[in-house]
């Protein structure tokens, strides 16, 4: 997935207005602070910036230098990827806390 930025940035020595994001892998979530509550999945701004930098293969300093409206556009693209994670965690949480799931089989 690509996001067109409002300003030129330098990535790996080249000027561009586009960042390309690959699909996340399990290891990309290492060190990313996510929490699940009754309100759903929540994460800190640092988490989005760190994950975006990993998925775009750019240094965190590149993400930190972007205008806020570009970061919001990037977050809007990444959030649906985390939405699938939220659904899986919610289902896992519900199945492990249900009496039928924890009752011994007879």
């Amino acid at each position: 997935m690509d996001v067109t930025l409002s300003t030129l940035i330098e990535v790996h020595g080249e000027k561009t207005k586009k960042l390309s994001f690959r699909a996340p892998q399990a290891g990309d979530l290492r060190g990313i602070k996510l929490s699940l509550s009754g309100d759903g999945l929540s994460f800190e701004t640092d988490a989005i910036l760190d994950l975006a930098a990993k998925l775009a293969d750019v240094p965190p300093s590149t993400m930190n230098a972007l205008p806020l409206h570009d970061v919001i556009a990037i977050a809007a693209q990444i959030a649906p990827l985390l939405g699938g994670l939220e659904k899986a965690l919610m289902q896992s949480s519900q199945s492990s806390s249900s009496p039928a799931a924890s009752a011994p089989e007879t």
Side-chain angles (χ1 to χ4, degrees):
M1 107 188 88
D2 295 333
V3 173
T4 301
L5 306 172
S6 62
T7 57
L8 278 172
I9 62 169
E10 189 168 323
V11 177
H12 305 297
E14 295 183 22
K15 300 255 184 207
T16 185
K17 282 187 86 171
K18 181 174 77 170
L19 284 177
S20 297
F21 298 87
R22 62 175 173 74
Q25 299 173 340
D28 293 323
L29 297 178
R30 290 188 187 276
I32 304 294
K33 294 180 184 177
L34 303 171
S35 62
L36 184 63
S37 69
D39 295 330
L41 189 66
S42 63
F43 37 87
E44 297 176 4
T45 303
D46 286 348
I48 285 291
L49 292 174
D50 290 346
L51 183 58
K54 287 180 183 181
L55 299 182
D57 190 29
V58 299
S61 60
T62 297
M63 298 306 299
N64 293 341
L66 291 175
L68 182 57
H69 57 272
D70 285 340
V71 173
I72 291 169
I74 290 167
Q77 293 295 316
I78 292 175
L81 302 175
L82 296 176
L85 177 63
E86 176 182 7
K87 184 177 179 181
L89 290 172
M90 293 284 277
Q91 288 175 343
S92 175
S93 173
Q94 290 171 352
S95 67
S96 66
S97 64
S98 71
S102 59
E105 293 184 19
T106 57

